[in-house]
Amino acid sequence: MENSSIIKIENLVKKFPMGKGEFTALSGIGLTLSQGEFAGLIGPSGSGKTTLLNIIGSLDVPTSGLVKVLGQSISELNAKESARLRKENLGFIFQSYNLLAVHTVYENVEFPLLLLGLSSGERKKMVMDALEWVGLTDKIRSKPPQLSGGECQRVAVARAMVKKPSIVLADEPTANLDAANSHNILKTMEELNRELKTSFLFATHDEKVINYLHRKIFLLDGRIDKDEVVSN
Amino acid sequence: MKLAIKLAFRNLIGAGLRTWLNVIVLSFSFVIIIWMKGVITGWDHQAKIDMTNWQIGEGQYWHENYDPYDPFTLNDSHAPVPEILREEVRQDSMTPLLISQGTIYPQGRLQSIMIKGLDPHQKIFHLPSHKLDTTISDAIPAIIGSGMAKNLQLGISDRVMIQWRDTEGTFDASEICITDIFSVNVPAVDQGQIYIPLNELRSMLNLEDEATILTYNNVRTDRSDVTGWIHKSKEELTSSVDELIKVKTAGTSVLYAVLILLAMLAIFDTQVLSIFKRQKEIGTYIALGYTRREVVGLFTVEGTMHAVFAALLSAAYGIPFLTWQAKNGWTMPMDTSEFGMAIAQTLYPVYSAGLVAGTVLIIMTVTAIVSYWPSRKIAGMNPTEALRGRIQ
């Protein structure tokens, strides 16, 4: 990784087949993200935020261009390598939480650690630490359907953070939350960013989130319209 | 694999009633298949034991002309006991049986029968031949099976006219007196058979010292044909039972297939529904670091684990049930004496380790295949669409 840049994108194009033709979701994207940034992709629906986030998260591949995450080119990774990248270095937070409904809070947060093959003792300590960060140590035996939306998203944050990944990708994390819960979640994430030096990249059009961002990357019709750093 | 098992376990336990319904259906298949196969194996055992005890001993020598399916051969199916076998007869480890055709007239009706001359002191068959060791001044003592007695409406002490033809072709007649009625599961020993003292029949037919069949009860491997006599091993004599069991097994296999099919249908449905309903979950697994193939593996393990749970549940209620059945047997609701085969009224199932292990292995394998089949769809899913829960 040159100059502590963890994400490097050059001339990224992403097209999707549509009917007999193609739809260009991203066009000529160039972007570099450094370690510890708290940045967001901002734009209206259809601007390509989620598509870009999915490509960075190695859940999708570019049509053309270069996308390097932690020094690895997404286009060149095979299924196993991209799974390893996600498993070891990336954390995901989704708009609708995507928690495993039949698992308890503890088991949901423990899941990424199981994939990493950590021992039961290590897992327990890390899960409890993560739940303490989000203030949910009293809910370890609850299952997602028994939790409020805010609590679910806090579990999702704990799950994303538990393995202390290099990058957390958060797709509209506050879209289903009220103002108070949104602020709580964002504060927590900001603290974790500060304490653990984890990079956060949001995809959002929510003002509440935008206000917290230290770097705002505006997307419009699949292109970067503006990229501004907010001084603290 | 260990992780897949752990996650599959959590998912199944978490799924609650849906899991248990499948497990219960599958466990019925386990128990019913093992029980039915056990009944058939038990029947096989019982039929062979009954045939050994009542009809064939440990093997027989047949007169070379004897054909049980052709009564016309009986006139020529007799000869003196061969010298080489006389010592065994003297030691009571072999007993001669003389067979002739005859007719009885119960209540004025005509009934063709086989007259069998049996040594009253023989120790090989369970037949109550000692009841023939009696003197009745104006009749021949005879024993018959309960099925025959029922058909002819004969009871102990009843008398009935019997007619036979001696070796000269002369018809003769006398009266028999029923001295005992025995109950037996081997129809060939019961239906149409009348047992009288051997010497009596020999004298009736003018066939002193002769026999049609020689039955032994000592197992020796060096037996072979003797001049004029064909050796029949126990295996040969019970081969008809083996054939019957084979046919029955083939017939019941259809039922096993239906049972397994029903259980598999439930598993297949659950898998298809899971993949349909759990798109988001599948996407989440991939986002968190699973490959699509690993998710296919997880869903396959999850489906197969139904069979593991079913095996455990089957053990919980199946072992007591199957043990109870093995001890007390299964009494058939209808009268088996008219089935025309060696079948007891109460069958005692016999279960072997091979039967249990084979059944478990077959159901596990079929469940794994049925679980894998719909799960393959996951391999073609787009994870970004799956994450949003879009049906693919």
Side-chain angles (χ1 to χ4, degrees):
Chain A
M1 280 178 285
E2 61 262 29
N3 300 331
S4 76
S5 76
I6 52 170
I7 298 170
K8 190 178 177 193
I9 301 171
E10 286 173 7
N11 203 23
L12 165 66
V13 177
K14 178 66 184 177
K15 292 178 179 176
F16 292 106
M18 183 181 259
K20 286 179 183 170
E22 281 178 330
F23 165 71
T24 304
L26 295 170
S27 174
I29 301 283
L31 182 70
T32 303
L33 233 80
S34 303
Q35 180 78 48
E37 286 207 59
F38 199 74
L41 303 167
I42 303 160
S45 294
S47 59
K49 310 182 294 288
T50 301
T51 305
L52 183 53
L53 216 59
N54 284 339
I55 293 172
I56 293 169
S58 76
L59 292 169
D60 206 348
V61 285
T63 307
S64 66
L66 175 79
V67 177
K68 273 192 167 184
V69 176
L70 298 165
Q72 300 180 65
S73 170
I74 296 298
S75 317
E76 290 166 14
L77 297 178
N78 62 29
K80 263 194 171 175
E81 288 165 341
S82 66
R84 192 183 304 131
L85 174 68
R86 292 192 297 271
K87 182 164 67 181
E88 292 173 358
N89 303 105
L90 303 181
F92 288 87
I93 299 168
F94 305 100
Q95 178 180 340
S96 51
Y97 329 126
N98 286 43
L99 298 176
L100 304 172
V102 297
H103 293 209
T104 62
V105 165
Y106 183 92
E107 288 165 348
N108 264 286
V109 179
E110 187 192 25
F111 188 88
L113 305 178
L114 282 172
L115 294 183
L116 289 172
L118 299 182
S119 71
S120 147
E122 285 175 298
R123 292 200 306 266
K124 190 171 180 187
K125 188 183 176 314
M126 291 170 82
V127 170
M128 293 314 290
D129 282 350
L131 287 172
E132 208 171 311
W133 296 334
V134 296
L136 279 176
T137 46
D138 56 333
K139 299 273 184 185
I140 55 171
R141 288 188 208 288
S142 305
K143 289 187 176 178
Q146 298 165 315
L147 303 176
S148 68
E151 286 171 331
C152 281
Q153 198 57 300
R154 277 150 68 193
V155 176
V157 171
R159 184 177 66 183
M161 290 303 300
V162 68
K163 62 187 174 193
K164 296 180 183 163
S166 304
I167 307 164
V168 169
L169 304 170
D171 189 4
E172 306 279 11
T174 55
N176 289 341
L177 302 179
D178 59 27
N181 271 313
S182 297
H183 285 299
N184 277 336
I185 289 286
L186 288 162
K187 256 188 198 167
T188 307
M189 289 199 267
E190 201 179 30
E191 277 168 28
L192 290 170
N193 165 252
R194 209 168 29 237
E195 284 173 25
L196 304 174
K197 297 283 174 258
T198 302
S199 307
F200 278 79
L201 183 61
F202 295 83
T204 187
H205 60 263
D206 184 346
E207 279 300 324
K208 298 187 291 286
V209 179
I210 295 168
N211 290 337
Y212 274 85
L213 297 175
H214 304 167
R215 182 178 171 190
K216 300 171 184 176
I217 304 155
F218 291 90
L219 286 177
L220 193 65
D221 296 332
R223 291 174 181 277
I224 293 182
D225 187 43
K226 202 163 53 171
D227 185 350
E228 60 182 40
V229 175
V230 181
S231 54
N232 288 330
Chain B
M1 188 63 175
K2 207 172 146 189
L3 177 61
I5 291 170
K6 192 171 190 165
L7 289 175
F9 180 81
R10 281 184 186 174
N11 287 344
L12 286 184
I13 296 293
L17 188 62
R18 193 180 60 199
T19 298
W20 295 114
L21 283 175
N22 285 332
V23 167
I24 287 166
V25 170
L26 201 52
S27 83
F28 283 151
S29 303
F30 270 114
V31 174
I32 292 172
I33 289 173
I34 291 172
W35 177 74
M36 287 190 74
K37 282 199 160 202
V39 166
I40 288 184
T41 310
W43 176 16
D44 184 26
H45 280 225
Q46 164 260 314
K48 284 180 178 168
I49 288 168
D50 284 347
M51 281 178 79
T52 302
N53 291 339
W54 292 85
Q55 189 186 8
I56 59 167
E58 292 297 331
Q60 293 180 324
Y61 287 92
W62 286 8
H63 185 271
E64 60 184 354
N65 294 334
Y66 176 62
D67 178 356
Y69 302 108
D70 182 3
F72 294 108
T73 61
L74 283 173
N75 285 340
D76 303 315
S77 307
H78 48 79
V81 175
E83 199 57 46
I84 195 169
L85 300 175
R86 278 180 189 272
E87 186 53 33
E88 285 189 79
V89 175
R90 262 195 297 278
Q91 287 174 358
D92 286 338
S93 59
M94 184 176 280
T95 190
L97 196 70
L98 182 62
I99 307 175
S100 175
Q101 251 194 308
T103 311
I104 56 170
Y105 298 89
Q107 286 96 41
R109 289 182 289 123
L110 179 149
Q111 174 80 44
S112 284
I113 46 125
M114 289 287 171
I115 311 169
K116 289 184 171 172
L118 180 69
D119 179 2
H121 306 292
Q122 63 83 27
K123 301 275 183 283
I124 292 175
F125 301 123
H126 284 193
L127 289 161
S129 52
H130 62 280
K131 295 282 186 179
L132 298 172
D133 191 17
T134 178
T135 308
I136 302 166
S137 57
D138 53 349
I140 303 165
I143 56 173
I144 56 172
S146 55
M148 172 94 160
K150 191 179 162 195
N151 284 349
L152 302 181
Q153 295 173 349
L154 290 174
I156 292 175
S157 302
D158 281 355
R159 287 168 178 247
V160 63
M161 171 79 78
I162 186 167
Q163 189 185 45
W164 69 94
R165 214 163 71 151
D166 66 19
T167 46
E168 308 299 323
T170 311
F171 281 99
D172 204 346
S174 180
E175 207 168 41
I176 55 167
C177 176
I178 308 298
T179 54
D180 198 23
I181 294 171
F182 55 86
S183 188
V184 62
N185 297 320
V186 186
V189 176
D190 183 343
Q191 294 298 337
Q193 317 291 313
I194 285 184
Y195 298 83
I196 64 172
L198 176 63
N199 287 337
E200 192 76 46
L201 184 59
R202 280 172 169 172
S203 106
M204 284 155 62
L205 300 174
N206 293 324
L207 295 172
E208 289 310 314
D209 201 31
E210 295 201 10
T212 307
I213 292 174
L214 301 164
T215 307
Y216 57 83
N217 66 356
N218 53 350
V219 183
R220 266 172 39 195
T221 52
D222 59 343
R223 292 191 185 274
S224 59
D225 292 350
V226 174
T227 312
W229 297 78
I230 297 165
H231 177 242
K232 297 275 182 185
S233 68
K234 191 174 170 180
E235 288 68 36
E236 274 180 88
L237 294 166
T238 55
S239 62
S240 60
V241 177
D242 292 331
E243 288 300 316
L244 187 69
I245 294 297
K246 229 185 252 177
V247 171
K248 282 283 156 197
T249 304
T252 47
S253 294
V254 176
L255 186 67
Y256 306 152
V258 171
L259 278 171
I260 292 178
L261 191 75
L262 284 175
M264 290 306 120
L265 210 61
I267 304 280
F268 187 85
D269 272 359
T270 305
Q271 288 293 96
V272 171
L273 194 69
S274 284
I275 291 156
F276 181 75
K277 275 181 68 181
R278 293 163 65 187
Q279 300 258 331
K280 254 190 192 179
E281 188 182 326
I282 291 165
T284 306
Y285 286 133
I286 295 169
L288 294 180
Y290 254 11
T291 62
R292 277 177 286 195
R293 283 182 65 180
E294 283 170 331
V295 182
V296 172
L298 172 64
F299 273 67
T300 305
V301 170
E302 212 175 290
T304 311
M305 206 172 264
H306 284 102
V308 177
F309 285 179
L312 294 174
L313 180 66
S314 303
Y317 74 89
I319 289 174
F321 168 73
L322 296 173
T323 309
W324 173 75
Q325 274 287 290
K327 201 174 164 192
N328 296 293
W330 173 52
T331 304
M332 274 185 275
M334 66 285 269
D335 185 8
T336 58
S337 62
E338 289 174 11
F339 278 19
M341 48 183 134
I343 184 165
Q345 192 66 44
T346 301
L347 291 177
Y348 294 88
V350 173
Y351 320 107
S352 63
L355 164 65
V356 176
T359 308
V360 171
L361 195 70
I362 288 171
I363 295 183
M364 292 272 186
T365 309
V366 177
T367 310
I369 293 167
V370 166
S371 304
Y372 170 71
W373 199 258
S375 307
R376 291 174 315 150
K377 189 176 159 52
I378 295 167
M381 275 186 186
N382 179 344
T384 59
E385 297 293 305
L387 273 170
R388 290 180 202 170
R390 286 196 189 150
I391 308 302
Q392 295 176 66

